[in-house]
Amino acid sequence: MVQKPSIPKGTRDFSPTEMSRRNYIFDTIREVFRLYGFKQIETPAMENLSTLMGKYGEEGDKLLFKILNSGDFLSKADHSLIAAGDCVHLTPQLCEKGLRYDLTVPFARYVVQHRNDIQFPFKRFQIQPVWRADRPQKGRYREFYQCDADIIGSDSLVNEIELLQLIDEVFSRLKINITIKLNNRKVLAGIAELIGAPEKIVDITVAIDKIDKIGIENVNAELRERGLSEDSINTLQPILAIDGTIEQRIEKLSDILQNSEIGALGVKELQEVVAGVEALGLRATLDLDVSLARGLNYYTGTIIEVKAQDVQIGSITGGGRYDNLTGVFGLPNVSGVGISFGADRIYDVLNALDLYPAETTSATTIMFTNFGAAETAVAMKMIKQLRAAGISAEIYPETAKMKKQMGYADALNIPFVAIVGENEIAENKLMLKEMSTGSQQLLSIEETINRLK
Amino acid sequence: MVQKPSIPKGTRDFSPTEMSRRNYIFDTIREVFRLYGFKQIETPAMENLSTLMGKYGEEGDKLLFKILNSGDFLSKADHSLIAAGDCVHLTPQLCEKGLRYDLTVPFARYVVQHRNDIQFPFKRFQIQPVWRADRPQKGRYREFYQCDADIIGSDSLVNEIELLQLIDEVFSRLKINITIKLNNRKVLAGIAELIGAPEKIVDITVAIDKIDKIGIENVNAELRERGLSEDSINTLQPILAIDGTIEQRIEKLSDILQNSEIGALGVKELQEVVAGVEALGLRATLDLDVSLARGLNYYTGTIIEVKAQDVQIGSITGGGRYDNLTGVFGLPNVSGVGISFGADRIYDVLNALDLYPAETTSATTIMFTNFGAAETAVAMKMIKQLRAAGISAEIYPETAKMKKQMGYADALNIPFVAIVGENEIAENKLMLKEMSTGSQQLLSIEETINRLK
């Protein structure tokens, strides 16, 4: 039976060219993680469903990919649930395992499971794919990579300063101009306190987020619609009107929140973080965004979001401080701060701006032609010497027509071709052809090594 | 609800130390793959079950991890199968996707799906995890990595010679002494022809494989038990008695198989491959093993298996030539040859022989002490300069007791600690402590960079 091959929707194959580009991103992030002293871990693709379920909300539970139990999976199934067609309650009886949905929950599980072997503060990084049964659409995949760095077991703001520098370094190396938006969960708590409506904080941040698009009058109208009192809306006006440099904006926020203990603490943290990074120098643009609320129920302090300046796309990195990463697994009060690079969106940004260095498009430096057994034997000895010198080299494996061999080198962007025929062998040399110019030079293998290194 | 955290049986977490060691293996293999002109691809963890089912035999189908369909998965299920408890026939109705079982079938699917974009001959490598619902036991995991390199679209023996050199280079870099065992499927076909019992070829190879352990008499007894005629056993005797150097053994095999066309062709291929690699020089021991049959129904020419000389463990690399990789997906007659490095067994070998280079045990080169806000601000500027020079550096994030900070550096094998206190700041220097000797030196940041580079 012949099958027309395809892959599951929302997943992707990566060709050699795509892999070179993706590796460029991953290698850059990994190198900076290491430069900053983060240590890599990996966790299994499959986790127990009990580890994953209930951690991402009801919607998240649905988006988990579940692994059908092996063998007689029906034996544990409640047949009344089958009869009722109750897939939701049947699933845990048919499946014990699921694919990881993010790197945060497996990391929390890892920390608790290995807490006796971990040296705290623990600076860990993790670069692995995650899987979500989301409806696939442009820029949203069912398998995608996350690149996370977290420091846990330390509530010092030094960690925030370090992570902001790290973000700056990664995007500076990738040549992507970014704006880093900052906020602090305590500032949001202070605002909620100020207007006496803590349950409205999400409505408020959603509305504030629209100021640039719809203007302050429409924001106020929306707040009214969402049930905020006129008093509350009036109290919010100075916050909506904040402008100036980031220092000036924090200063104004400080005035507004001076009577809220938690709000004032949030402002103080923001000030310390901003002063810390500015003293060290940042290439990125730093911005205060009091509407920034990412994962509100999760973060407890600093909130970070990164936007590319030159491409219209969602946030390409995000993170923040949390105070109870591992509580659900029985280890309370572990404070940490972390960031997550969205490799797939960064890939889209680099593609849109065509920012890949030239070397990411070629795998092999030099291809040797194949004119038959005798020539090949000589060529392979030369190739061995080139490889020993660290130069990637290959021989066209078949004794094909010259045109075909050259076409192969051309299609694969191999910059140099070595022609080894009768004449070259007689002189113990090779004819080095530079593909971009077509120029040819008769060289010894030593000269070739010097030329290509 | 507090959960005691665990991971599914047969899976593993990898700690920072384990990751360093694993990366050393993967980086080595990846670097050599590239040096030889192989280009990386990646395929999704999930494939359509229709791609995977039937490719690994009935047993293999059972060992596939299947993903339960999202949403109302019961809607497509035949309730008479549920009533009958027929899990085998029910599975394809509940699951459309499965986790990849190896890298070969996804690669075949990839080649057919993207054949118009691929430049043949196609030299691809792929390093990704695979999943098998095998019973977990020592050295056998449910999630493990394969590192495959294949050349497809070329039947030249140059490819075999290249792959053998590549294997030699990888293990030479890893400092593992290896024996590369060679055989050829056509030689096995010739032997089957010779004894007139092609259906017994598996029995024969299994019996021959035991010669070293049980001796020739017991092998003959076993062959008799397995139903071979006395004639056949007599005909096999010269093959069982083959000895000498690999060239001598191939020569003897050549005599024995001279009347079998396919056998003689297999011998010729072996001769050409051995002569080719020996002309280039091989550090590994090369061995002819006519009992070598790995995946008999799959390979059609050269068969390769690698054993570690200094550790008792199964084969650590294997491969061979096949003639019909992609036929099942509608693209017939694609010849190729490939090898697969077993990263997890190589990891076990390196652990057993303790062959890891020292640098795989440490992540960060230098840690700065933290004596408070003022000292930290100075230290972070110094750290920035070190990182700009490519030296990995971190600061202890908390203002903790000196003993605790030093304990952290010690536990993480950080070789240098920089002490930046009041006195050092006054001199615009740092006190560099080498952890292995305890020696201390007052140095400027430039001197520190020179010392650590």
Side-chain angles (χ1 to χ4, degrees):
Chain A
M1 185 192 59
V2 168
Q3 303 170 341
K4 192 169 173 243
S6 66
I7 49 176
K9 62 178 178 183
T11 69
R12 292 163 291 173
D13 284 326
F14 295 108
S15 70
T17 304
E18 289 165 333
M19 278 309 296
S20 301
R21 294 176 164 205
R22 290 174 69 81
N23 283 333
Y24 166 66
I25 297 170
F26 291 127
D27 290 348
T28 301
I29 293 172
R30 196 182 297 116
E31 202 175 311
V32 177
F33 280 168
R34 289 194 181 130
L35 200 57
Y36 277 70
F38 288 86
K39 286 152 267 295
Q40 189 172 18
I41 69 160
E42 280 189 2
T43 61
M46 295 185 285
E47 292 276 351
N48 291 322
L49 264 191
S50 57
T51 299
L52 302 175
M53 296 284 280
K55 308 302 188 299
Y56 309 103
E58 209 173 306
E59 192 54 29
D61 282 353
K62 284 187 200 154
L63 299 184
L64 291 170
F65 280 111
K66 289 121 189 155
I67 314 271
L68 188 68
N69 291 342
S70 296
D72 185 12
F73 56 81
L74 281 174
S75 64
K76 288 185 190 166
D78 180 341
H79 281 257
S80 66
L81 291 175
I82 297 175
D86 185 346
C87 289
V88 171
H89 291 97
L90 199 56
T91 299
Q93 300 178 354
L94 301 179
C95 304
E96 284 170 7
K97 295 181 283 291
L99 296 181
R100 73 176 156 251
Y101 179 90
D102 69 2
L103 301 181
T104 304
V105 167
F107 176 49
R109 193 266 310 145
Y110 178 98
V111 168
V112 177
Q113 195 173 327
H114 304 282
R115 62 180 178 272
N116 296 327
D117 304 318
I118 292 173
Q119 185 66 36
F120 293 96
F122 184 32
K123 298 175 74 170
R124 91 86 169 76
F125 81 85
Q126 192 168 354
I127 299 179
Q128 291 194 278
V130 302
W131 295 271
R132 296 182 185 179
D134 250 323
R135 187 178 299 272
Q137 56 185 61
K138 192 176 178 308
R140 191 196 283 167
Y141 305 102
R142 290 187 154 188
E143 173 179 65
F144 60 97
Y145 269 79
Q146 293 191 333
C147 313
D148 285 18
D150 291 78
I151 305 142
I152 62 161
S154 163
D155 55 15
S156 162
L157 293 175
V158 163
N159 300 308
E160 270 89 337
I161 296 168
E162 286 273 283
L163 286 176
L164 290 171
Q165 283 193 91
L166 187 156
I167 290 171
D168 195 44
E169 181 67 27
V170 165
F171 288 109
S172 163
R173 289 185 182 207
L174 294 175
K175 299 187 174 46
I176 298 176
N177 298 318
I178 55 160
T179 298
I180 305 179
K181 294 178 170 190
L182 285 184
N183 197 10
N184 191 299
R185 177 66 177 92
K186 298 187 181 89
V187 164
L188 292 175
I191 294 174
E193 213 174 87
L194 196 67
I195 61 171
E199 77 287 356
K200 294 286 183 203
I201 190 70
V202 172
D203 291 321
I204 293 169
T205 58
V206 168
I208 295 179
D209 190 34
K210 296 182 184 166
I211 283 191
D212 289 344
K213 272 195 207 136
I214 63 176
I216 199 159
E217 282 316 309
N218 289 317
V219 164
N220 286 338
E222 188 169 325
L223 288 169
R224 236 165 254 130
E225 259 171 51
R226 287 172 184 266
L228 250 77
S229 69
E230 287 305 313
D231 261 14
S232 297
I233 293 173
N234 283 337
T235 314
L236 265 179
Q237 295 311 300
I239 294 172
L240 300 182
I242 282 176
D243 60 4
T245 66
I246 186 165
E247 283 86 355
Q248 291 167 337
R249 295 164 81 170
I250 296 177
E251 197 53 45
K252 287 174 190 169
L253 202 57
S254 174
D255 290 342
I256 298 168
L257 293 175
Q258 56 183 310
N259 293 326
S260 159
E261 193 181 337
I262 188 156
L265 184 57
V267 168
K268 193 168 161 289
E269 289 184 8
L270 273 173
Q271 281 169 328
E272 205 171 319
V273 169
V274 170
V277 288
E278 299 218 324
L280 294 163
L282 209 64
R283 280 153 293 197
T285 304
L286 212 53
D287 191 16
L288 172 72
D289 181 354
V290 289
S291 77
L292 191 62
R294 300 178 68 87
L296 192 63
N297 297 320
Y298 179 64
Y299 292 127
T300 53
T302 304
I303 305 173
I304 301 167
E305 190 169 276
V306 178
K307 302 274 284 184
Q309 288 177 354
D310 306 317
V311 178
Q312 278 293 14
I313 199 166
S315 74
I316 52 179
T317 292
R321 177 169 287 281
Y322 41 81
D323 275 340
N324 197 10
L325 177 71
T326 55
V328 68
F329 298 115
L331 189 65
N333 305 322
V334 172
S335 183
V337 55
I339 53 169
S340 183
F341 288 89
D344 291 275
R345 281 201 184 152
I346 293 171
Y347 179 72
D348 291 343
V349 170
L350 288 176
N351 280 330
L353 301 176
D354 196 17
L355 285 178
Y356 292 102
E359 61 268 26
T360 59
T361 58
S362 164
T364 310
T365 302
I366 184 166
M367 184 198 84
F368 278 65
T369 55
N370 183 331
F371 292 145
E375 291 86 349
T376 297
V378 175
M380 287 177 88
K381 283 189 185 161
M382 292 175 166
I383 287 174
K384 188 170 182 177
Q385 288 177 268
L386 285 166
R387 288 174 180 158
I391 297 162
S392 63
E394 60 182 290
I395 184 162
Y396 192 85
E398 306 273 329
T399 309
K401 287 202 176 116
M402 189 68 168
K403 196 183 162 193
K404 192 173 180 188
Q405 300 191 33
M406 286 297 179
Y408 172 89
D410 201 43
L412 294 178
N413 286 312
I414 297 175
F416 295 95
V417 168
I419 300 159
V420 180
E422 228 174 291
N423 299 337
E424 288 81 10
I425 293 176
E427 297 203 48
N428 196 22
K429 295 197 169 176
L430 58 85
M431 185 66 77
L432 184 72
K433 179 176 171 129
E434 188 168 358
M435 295 295 276
S436 61
T437 62
S439 71
Q440 301 197 154
Q441 255 188 305
L442 191 67
L443 299 176
S444 72
I445 192 68
E446 292 76 17
E447 289 166 336
T448 307
I449 290 171
N450 288 331
R451 171 80 179 77
L452 300 185
K453 275 220 113 167
Chain B
M1 184 192 62
V2 169
Q3 305 171 339
K4 194 170 172 239
S6 66
I7 49 177
K9 63 179 177 181
T11 69
R12 293 164 289 173
D13 285 326
F14 295 109
S15 70
T17 304
E18 289 164 332
M19 278 308 298
S20 301
R21 294 176 164 205
R22 290 175 69 81
N23 283 333
Y24 167 66
I25 297 170
F26 291 126
D27 290 347
T28 301
I29 293 173
R30 194 182 298 119
E31 201 175 315
V32 177
F33 280 167
R34 288 194 182 132
L35 199 56
Y36 277 69
F38 288 87
K39 285 151 269 295
Q40 190 172 17
I41 68 160
E42 281 188 3
T43 62
M46 296 185 285
E47 294 274 351
N48 291 322
L49 263 191
S50 57
T51 299
L52 303 175
M53 295 285 281
K55 309 303 188 299
Y56 308 104
E58 209 173 308
E59 192 56 28
D61 282 352
K62 284 188 201 152
L63 299 185
L64 291 171
F65 281 110
K66 289 123 191 151
I67 314 272
L68 188 68
N69 292 342
S70 297
D72 185 12
F73 55 81
L74 282 173
S75 63
K76 288 184 189 167
D78 180 344
H79 281 257
S80 67
L81 291 175
I82 296 175
D86 185 346
C87 289
V88 171
H89 291 97
L90 199 55
T91 299
Q93 300 178 355
L94 300 180
C95 304
E96 283 170 8
K97 295 180 284 289
L99 295 181
R100 72 175 158 250
Y101 179 90
D102 69 4
L103 301 181
T104 304
V105 168
F107 176 49
R109 193 265 313 145
Y110 178 97
V111 169
V112 177
Q113 193 173 329
H114 303 282
R115 61 180 178 271
N116 296 326
D117 304 318
I118 292 172
Q119 186 66 36
F120 294 95
F122 185 32
K123 298 175 74 171
R124 91 86 170 74
F125 81 85
Q126 192 169 354
I127 300 178
Q128 291 193 277
V130 302
W131 295 271
R132 295 181 186 180
D134 251 325
R135 188 179 299 273
Q137 57 187 60
K138 192 177 176 306
R140 191 197 282 168
Y141 305 101
R142 291 188 153 185
E143 173 179 63
F144 59 98
Y145 269 79
Q146 292 191 332
C147 312
D148 284 19
D150 291 78
I151 304 143
I152 62 160
S154 164
D155 55 13
S156 162
L157 294 176
V158 164
N159 300 308
E160 270 88 338
I161 296 168
E162 285 272 285
L163 287 176
L164 290 171
Q165 284 193 90
L166 187 155
I167 289 170
D168 196 43
E169 181 68 26
V170 164
F171 289 109
S172 164
R173 290 185 181 207
L174 293 175
K175 299 187 173 49
I176 298 176
N177 298 317
I178 54 161
T179 298
I180 304 179
K181 294 179 172 189
L182 284 184
N183 197 9
N184 192 299
R185 177 67 178 89
K186 299 186 180 88
V187 164
L188 292 175
I191 293 172
E193 212 174 271
L194 196 69
I195 61 171
E199 76 288 356
K200 294 285 184 205
I201 190 69
V202 172
D203 290 322
I204 293 169
T205 58
V206 167
I208 296 178
D209 188 37
K210 297 183 183 164
I211 284 191
D212 288 345
K213 272 194 207 137
I214 63 176
I216 200 158
E217 283 315 311
N218 290 318
V219 165
N220 287 337
E222 187 169 325
L223 289 170
R224 237 166 253 127
E225 261 172 48
R226 288 172 183 264
L228 250 76
S229 69
E230 287 306 314
D231 262 12
S232 297
I233 292 172
N234 283 337
T235 313
L236 265 180
Q237 294 311 299
I239 294 173
L240 300 182
I242 283 177
D243 60 3
T245 67
I246 184 163
E247 284 86 354
Q248 290 168 337
R249 296 165 82 171
I250 296 176
E251 198 54 43
K252 287 174 187 167
L253 201 57
S254 174
D255 290 343
I256 298 168
L257 293 175
Q258 57 184 308
N259 293 325
S260 160
E261 194 182 335
I262 189 156
L265 184 58
V267 169
K268 194 168 159 291
E269 289 185 6
L270 274 173
Q271 279 168 328
E272 206 171 317
V273 169
V274 170
V277 290
E278 299 216 323
L280 294 164
L282 209 65
R283 280 153 292 198
T285 304
L286 211 53
D287 192 16
L288 174 70
D289 182 353
V290 290
S291 77
L292 190 60
R294 299 178 68 86
L296 192 61
N297 297 319
Y298 179 66
Y299 292 128
T300 54
T302 305
I303 304 173
I304 301 166
E305 190 169 276
V306 178
K307 302 275 282 183
Q309 289 178 355
D310 306 317
V311 177
Q312 278 292 16
I313 198 167
S315 73
I316 52 178
T317 292
R321 178 169 287 281
Y322 41 83
D323 275 341
N324 197 11
L325 176 71
T326 54
V328 70
F329 297 115
L331 189 66
N333 305 320
V334 172
S335 182
V337 55
I339 52 170
S340 183
F341 288 89
D344 291 275
R345 281 200 183 152
I346 293 171
Y347 179 73
D348 290 344
V349 170
L350 288 176
N351 279 331
L353 300 175
D354 196 16
L355 284 178
Y356 292 102
E359 62 268 25
T360 58
T361 58
S362 163
T364 309
T365 303
I366 184 165
M367 185 199 83
F368 279 64
T369 54
N370 184 331
F371 292 145
E375 291 85 351
T376 297
V378 174
M380 288 177 87
K381 284 189 183 161
M382 292 176 166
I383 287 174
K384 187 168 184 182
Q385 288 177 267
L386 286 166
R387 288 174 180 159
I391 296 162
S392 62
E394 60 182 291
I395 183 161
Y396 192 85
E398 307 272 330
T399 309
K401 286 201 176 119
M402 189 70 167
K403 197 182 163 194
K404 192 171 180 190
Q405 299 191 36
M406 286 297 180
Y408 173 89
D410 201 43
L412 295 179
N413 287 311
I414 297 174
F416 294 95
V417 168
I419 300 160
V420 180
E422 228 175 291
N423 299 338
E424 286 81 11
I425 292 175
E427 296 203 47
N428 196 23
K429 294 196 170 179
L430 59 83
M431 186 66 78
L432 184 73
K433 179 175 171 132
E434 187 168 1
M435 295 296 278
S436 62
T437 61
S439 71
Q440 302 197 155
Q441 255 187 306
L442 191 67
L443 298 176
S444 72
I445 192 69
E446 293 77 18
E447 289 165 337
T448 308
I449 290 171
N450 288 332
R451 173 80 181 75
L452 299 185
K453 275 221 114 166

